[in-house]
Amino acid sequence: MGDAHDSSRGRDDKAKGGGWKREEAGEGVARGQPRDASRATHKDGDTDSPPLPSAALSCRFAECCREEQRLNASALKLELEEKLFGQHLATEVILKALTGFKNNKNPKKPLTLSLHGWAGTGKNFVSQIVAENLHSKGLKSNFVHLFVSTLHFPHEQHIKLYQDQLQGWIRGNVSACASSVFIFDEMDKLHPGVIDAIKPFLDYYEQVDGVSYRKAIFMFLSNAGGDLITKTALDFWRAGRKREDIQLKDLEPVLSVGVFNNKHSGLWRSGLIDRNLIDYFIPFLPLEYRHVKMCVRAEMRARGSAVDEDIVTRVAEEMTFFPKGEKIYSDKGCKTVQSRLDFH
């Protein structure tokens, strides 16, 4: 389901850098040295198993970076189709992008995805699913790093500091694991210019200062462009066309231009767009009443409860919808499903 599942699935609103220490001031990006996975020790009394090579032994008790591990595309497809509601475009594009990238043994650049849409439509949830399918510990992995703009880059006067720290953080973590994943949440709240610090890492360079970034994955999550996406969805609805008929070509061009010209997008006048370094702009459509009901059912199952259709209907009807006349789309997506379900 959409963002409504974030907290129950252990979303961690901290950038995780494989054991790196945070700045004492508590601001900006953490810096330090990656954790040494070789320190893992053997369990007491575990003498029955045959001896393993040191690397394999280490990976039994500490997380290892498995750079060449293939993506289980079938498992990812099934999870997206069963858990992400009303987002046929996001499901299709993410599956295609990740499968193609992971099957390419020599990519020319890192995979860079920009996810756009209103809150509650599933952006955070998708980033979590992607992380779990790339690294077994998901958002808790030492090789998956989550940045939240308002938490890690709060002050406009420190932009240069943030840029330097961000470069150091990414360089260190990609050096430790080439297939590292970096997720930037709340891009629409990021001060313009901060993200351009990582432009060299996303470009078509074989190496930058001796480090190759070509197997890393970057994901940007933003509410910016939500109005453009909703307008397209509404146009289709008013023309009597199915939302499933909306194609990427109907949204991606207007979305990239709209975000580039939006001062509150985090990508305003960004070289990442100007240099065509973002591989896909992925739209998340506004959710309809039927999708909200799907979210409620999924949340009930996640809690181990039997699905009660009366409660499903009551929770869905408590949500507010827009536009004012037609009331088609939930204005919070599935964001408040969890809290509302607590009252039933």
Side-chain angles (χ1 to χ4, degrees):
M1 79 186 249
D3 295 37
H5 264 187
D6 285 346
S7 59
S8 66
R9 291 179 173 268
R11 179 185 168 200
D12 182 9
D13 278 348
K14 295 183 291 183
K16 298 181 292 300
W20 290 24
K21 296 178 181 178
R22 285 191 54 79
E23 293 283 298
E24 287 185 7
E27 297 173 356
V29 182
R31 291 192 287 185
Q33 295 299 321
R35 179 183 299 132
D36 182 1
S38 65
R39 294 180 188 172
T41 55
H42 200 280
K43 287 183 179 178
D44 292 338
D46 187 7
T47 57
D48 296 330
S49 54
L52 296 170
S54 58
L57 183 64
S58 175
C59 292
R60 282 186 63 182
F61 305 109
E63 185 185 21
C64 288
C65 175
R66 303 181 186 277
E67 295 178 7
E68 304 305 323
Q69 184 170 317
R70 297 289 295 269
L71 174 72
N72 188 336
S74 298
L76 176 60
K77 181 175 186 290
L78 184 64
E79 192 167 8
L80 288 171
E81 289 176 347
E82 289 186 348
K83 298 179 180 179
L84 184 66
F85 307 130
Q87 304 299 352
H88 69 284
L89 277 178
T91 297
E92 176 187 342
V93 176
I94 288 170
L95 184 63
K96 173 184 174 183
L98 283 174
T99 303
F101 182 73
K102 294 299 288 185
N103 286 343
N104 186 351
K105 293 185 177 181
N106 187 29
K108 300 301 181 186
K109 66 179 292 296
L111 178 63
T112 308
L113 308 175
S114 194
L115 282 53
H116 297 267
W118 294 131
T121 52
K123 301 184 301 297
N124 291 110
F125 189 47
V126 161
S127 68
Q128 183 177 310
I129 290 175
V130 169
E132 290 169 352
N133 278 269
L134 294 173
H135 295 283
S136 59
K137 291 188 176 182
L139 292 179
K140 294 182 180 179
S141 169
N142 289 330
F143 312 120
V144 177
H145 313 280
L146 173 63
F147 299 92
V148 182
S149 295
T150 51
L151 176 64
H152 296 108
F153 316 106
H155 304 299
E156 189 171 7
Q157 65 268 31
H158 292 163
I159 287 179
K160 183 62 171 67
L161 172 65
Y162 297 152
Q163 289 176 326
D164 293 342
Q165 290 180 332
L166 189 55
Q167 285 185 344
W169 176 274
I170 293 175
R171 184 183 299 113
N173 280 284
V174 173
S175 297
C177 180
S179 58
S180 292
V181 178
F182 301 93
I183 301 169
F184 292 81
D185 195 9
E186 298 184 349
M187 279 292 294
D188 48 299
K189 298 179 178 67
L190 184 66
H191 301 297
V194 171
I195 204 64
D196 274 8
I198 69 171
K199 186 175 79 69
F201 305 152
L202 306 186
D203 216 324
Y204 291 83
Y205 298 122
E206 187 170 343
Q207 290 187 343
V208 178
D209 292 333
V211 179
S212 173
Y213 297 87
R214 292 183 168 189
K215 293 187 177 181
I217 294 176
F218 294 81
M219 298 178 68
F220 304 133
L221 280 55
S222 178
N223 289 350
D227 52 344
L228 300 172
I229 297 168
T230 296
K231 181 182 183 304
T232 299
L234 262 177
D235 289 345
F236 270 71
W237 186 85
R238 287 168 177 163
R241 302 173 67 185
K242 297 178 181 178
R243 68 189 279 127
E244 289 76 18
D245 291 337
I246 301 175
Q247 299 179 39
L248 191 61
K249 66 181 182 181
D250 296 316
L251 277 166
E252 193 172 36
V254 68
L255 197 53
S256 62
V257 172
V259 170
F260 183 77
N261 291 317
N262 184 346
K263 288 186 177 181
H264 304 289
S265 71
L267 291 166
W268 180 60
R269 305 292 184 192
S270 173
L272 273 61
I273 298 178
D274 209 29
R275 285 273 298 159
N276 297 310
L277 299 181
I278 296 178
D279 298 295
Y280 294 97
F281 289 86
I282 305 176
F284 280 68
L285 303 174
L287 298 183
E288 300 173 6
Y289 176 80
R290 59 191 170 112
H291 302 128
V292 174
K293 293 182 80 170
M294 292 177 184
C295 291
V296 179
R297 293 187 191 104
E299 179 61 24
M300 294 179 83
R301 293 190 193 100
R303 296 183 181 194
S305 304
V307 175
D308 185 325
E309 288 299 329
D310 288 339
I311 294 177
V312 170
T313 300
R314 287 206 299 272
V315 171
E317 288 181 347
E318 287 174 4
M319 309 290 274
T320 53
F321 294 81
F322 72 97
K324 192 174 265 188
E326 292 129 318
K327 294 187 177 180
I328 310 164
Y329 305 120
S330 169
D331 61 0
K332 294 178 182 175
C334 285
K335 198 76 172 178
T336 60
V337 161
Q338 281 186 344
S339 59
R340 289 179 182 273
L341 193 55
D342 290 339
F343 289 95
H344 294 275

